[in-house]
Amino acid sequence: MKKFALISVSDKTGIVDFAKSLLNLNYEILATGNTAKLLTQNSVPVTEVSDLTGFPEIFEGRVKTLHPKIFGGILFRRDNPQDIIQANENSILPIDIVCVNLYPFVQTIKKENVSLDDVIENIDIGGPSLVRAAAKNYKYVSILTSPEQYKNFIAELEKGNISDKTKEQLAVAAFSHTSNYDTHIANYLEERFELEKSHIRINEKLNRKLRYGENPHQSAKVFGNFDEYFEVFHGKEISYNNILDLVAAVELCEELDDNACAIIKHNNAAGAAIGTFPLDAYLKALKCDPVSAFGGIVAFNDEVDGKTAEKLNEIFLEIICAPSFSDEALAILKKKKDRRLVRKLKKINEPGLATRSIPGGILVQDKDLVTLNKDDIQIVTNRKPTEKELEDLTFAWIVAKHTKSNAIVFAKDKATLGVGAGQMSRLDSAKIAYMKAKEHGLDLTNSVAASDAFFPFADGLLEIIKCGATAVIQPGGSVRDQEVIDAANQNNITMVFTGIRHFKH
């Protein structure tokens, strides 16, 4: 009895060799349009689908495989007597292998200024139908949807038959393939047509398994396109906690100016600064809390040079991330074999959704990408801030935005001096920030301070004033704002309201 394999692929990687292997195993090849043309050009005998069905491709290829002889050949049950009778009555031949991948919809929507017509024409109809049909009938039909599957499949087929386990794995991969495809289509069209989001659709491919999660007893994996944003090119395998801290460091760095540096520990800033060059920024950031910086993650906005690398090598750091590294820097940094070196490949602060797991579902919100517009700052005290104070206030505000709430951040000369993070009381955050600054010999006199949310009482502001700050930035919005403003005026400091709150839980 003849054995048939149907091939219809958009991604033609390895397809000629795959088809030749099937020929050597006595399969007859059915193919559509461009796939048939490529195989014929490479001396692979092919029966075009239209010749089998007796029905031509129509509507510029919109309809080519949607025919009972094709879907009947895929879907009929080989051990069902009635299916066999009906297949014979309708001259339906069994198709035992289906090799299909889909129109490049995702690649199409990434093109600049792509027209809606082009997008629509790259929505595959027959392909997903073939894939789903073959996957549904996995007991009898093998479905391949990726060139990565060809080699192992042929190797197993050459040994005799494809195992039930392999067919099951291929079927699940096939349904995952069409599910991912439909997710991209629905998400794109929902946004393009400016429709309110009705479902959260997350469908990402496994990127890598991690050694463990937050703790050694938790398993963990990365899904999606992490490698489009970061290249880990040296050191130990990156961990779950490493990734969280890496993202936190880069998110903060990107909101600061050129020559910025952020040192992150447990998702909070152990130090951050803007310098005149990378080494200057790192040294300023390191002064804030050199003890906590040990074992931390350091991110830069600019290339790491040799002098910066020498200084970085003086303490243990888990990760150093930058858009680039000089050859001299790499020669120095690679001396430490386990420390990870990471290139940032593209910007990560881009519009999108932030998600958190909850029992029975997912919490979803827009990413917090709101930035401070200096024109919208409201000066609420008698004393006005100097230009330098405004620069430092803006800097401190950005760091506070990226610090776990309740957050108080002291800064001077575009560098953090003390960070109080994640406390239940804003007053405690101020006390901790002061304590950390004093512990490392930093003077808070004439510093500025940022609070990520309003002061519910004046006591938090008075604590900050007692620490030495002369300028404070906060959102405002408390029912006791006037009480807080009065306290600022009585102590002759300047205070500005942003009208923006940046809680980070």
Side-chain angles (χ1 to χ4, degrees), residues 78-95:
R78 278 46 165 181
D79 59 356
N80 184 300
Q82 287 301 314
D83 283 12
I84 294 170
I85 290 170
Q86 290 179 41
N88 290 333
E89 288 175 348
N90 292 280
S91 302
I92 291 173
L93 299 170
I95 299 171

Side-chain angles (χ1 to χ4, degrees), residues 216-233:
H217 60 272
Q218 294 172 273
S219 63
K221 301 179 180 72
V222 178
F223 292 84
N225 301 315
F226 177 77
D227 296 334
E228 289 185 7
Y229 295 86
F230 297 105
E231 178 193 3
V232 184
F233 66 93

Side-chain angles (χ1 to χ4, degrees), residues 21-325:
S21 295
L22 291 177
L23 280 177
N24 291 336
L25 294 165
N26 301 315
Y27 280 86
E28 294 194 25
I29 308 296
L30 304 172
T32 57
N34 289 330
T35 303
K37 184 178 178 180
L38 175 66
L39 295 177
T40 300
Q41 289 171 347
N42 285 274
S43 304
V44 177
V46 168
T47 299
E48 290 209 36
V49 165
S50 57
D51 292 332
L52 177 71
T53 62
F55 201 93
E57 292 187 12
I58 58 175
F59 311 138
E60 297 180 320
R62 277 190 164 203
V63 178
K64 43 195 172 189
T65 58
L66 297 169
H67 192 280
K69 284 196 172 183
I70 298 300
F71 281 86
I74 295 170
L75 282 166
F76 89 82
R77 290 158 289 191
R78 278 46 165 181
D79 59 356
N80 184 300
Q82 287 301 314
D83 283 12
I84 294 170
I85 290 170
Q86 290 179 41
N88 290 333
E89 288 175 348
N90 292 280
S91 302
I92 291 173
L93 299 170
I95 299 171
D96 296 330
I97 297 172
V98 175
C99 180
V100 172
N101 54 60
L102 310 179
Y103 291 172
F105 179 84
V106 175
Q107 294 91 321
T108 300
I109 61 176
K110 288 181 179 179
K111 295 177 182 176
E112 286 189 26
N113 303 316
V114 65
S115 70
L116 184 57
D117 284 345
D118 282 343
V119 170
I120 296 300
E121 289 310 311
N122 277 280
I123 296 176
D124 205 327
I125 301 301
S129 300
L130 290 169
V131 171
R132 289 173 62 82
K136 177 176 179 174
N137 211 24
Y138 69 89
K139 288 183 180 180
Y140 315 102
V141 181
S142 298
I143 171 63
L144 296 99
T145 52
S146 168
E148 295 174 2
Q149 299 167 331
Y150 299 166
K151 182 179 178 181
N152 289 341
F153 180 82
I154 291 297
E156 187 171 337
L157 194 60
E158 286 174 341
K159 293 178 181 177
N161 295 312
I162 300 300
S163 69
D164 290 344
K165 184 175 181 180
T166 297
K167 288 180 181 178
E168 291 165 359
Q169 290 172 338
L170 291 173
V172 171
F175 282 120
S176 294
H177 187 60
T178 56
S179 174
N180 181 269
Y181 194 73
D182 286 341
T183 295
H184 284 289
I185 293 170
N187 285 344
Y188 175 84
L189 292 180
E190 192 172 59
E191 184 176 345
R192 184 84 181 230
F193 298 154
E194 298 180 354
L195 302 176
E196 185 176 353
K197 184 168 281 296
S198 61
H199 293 74
I200 180 72
R201 307 178 193 90
I202 302 173
N203 193 317
E204 300 290 355
K205 185 179 179 181
L206 178 65
N207 178 288
R208 70 185 75 181
K209 292 182 180 180
L210 300 174
R211 286 179 298 160
Y212 52 82
E214 263 183 309
N215 301 291
H217 60 272
Q218 294 172 273
S219 63
K221 301 179 180 72
V222 178
F223 292 84
N225 301 315
F226 177 77
D227 296 334
E228 289 185 7
Y229 295 86
F230 297 105
E231 178 193 3
V232 184
F233 66 93
H234 175 79
K236 287 194 302 186
E237 178 188 355
I238 198 166
S239 73
Y240 181 96
N241 291 332
N242 289 157
I243 292 172
L244 291 179
D245 285 340
L246 171 64
V247 171
V250 173
E251 283 178 339
L252 171 53
C253 237
E254 282 188 354
E255 281 211 48
L256 300 173
D257 275 332
D258 291 342
N259 292 317
C261 173
I263 305 172
I264 295 292
K265 193 75 171 286
H266 299 300
N267 254 227
N268 288 309
I274 298 171
T276 53
F277 45 87
L279 178 57
D280 180 42
Y282 172 65
L283 292 175
K284 288 168 68 176
L286 186 63
K287 281 181 182 178
C288 180
D289 192 348
V291 174
S292 295
F294 185 87
I297 278 76
V298 180
F300 294 90
N301 277 345
D302 301 88
E303 181 172 275
V304 172
D305 58 20
K307 289 184 178 179
T308 308
E310 287 175 354
K311 197 66 184 176
L312 289 164
N313 261 7
E314 290 181 4
I315 66 170
F316 167 64
L317 298 168
E318 288 276 3
I319 293 176
I320 299 167
C321 177
S324 59
F325 298 80

Side-chain angles (χ1 to χ4, degrees), residues 348-369:
I348 69 171
N349 282 329
E350 53 189 10
L353 299 176
T355 63
R356 298 279 288 271
S357 297
I358 58 172
I362 300 171
L363 276 176
V364 180
Q365 65 173 350
D366 295 332
K367 289 183 180 179
D368 186 4
L369 300 180

Side-chain angles (χ1 to χ4, degrees), residues 422-475:
Q423 298 306 303
M424 290 67 76
S425 160
R426 196 160 299 279
L427 183 61
D428 287 345
S429 290
K431 290 177 179 178
I432 289 171
Y434 174 77
M435 177 193 73
K436 297 291 284 185
K438 287 301 177 185
E439 179 184 336
H440 302 299
L442 301 175
D443 185 4
L444 298 186
T445 303
N446 297 322
S447 65
V448 307
S451 173
D452 65 337
F454 63 63
F455 293 97
F457 302 98
D459 57 353
L461 177 69
L462 292 172
E463 185 68 28
I464 286 171
I465 294 169
K466 188 169 72 175
C467 293
T470 58
V472 174
I473 187 168
Q474 59 135 317

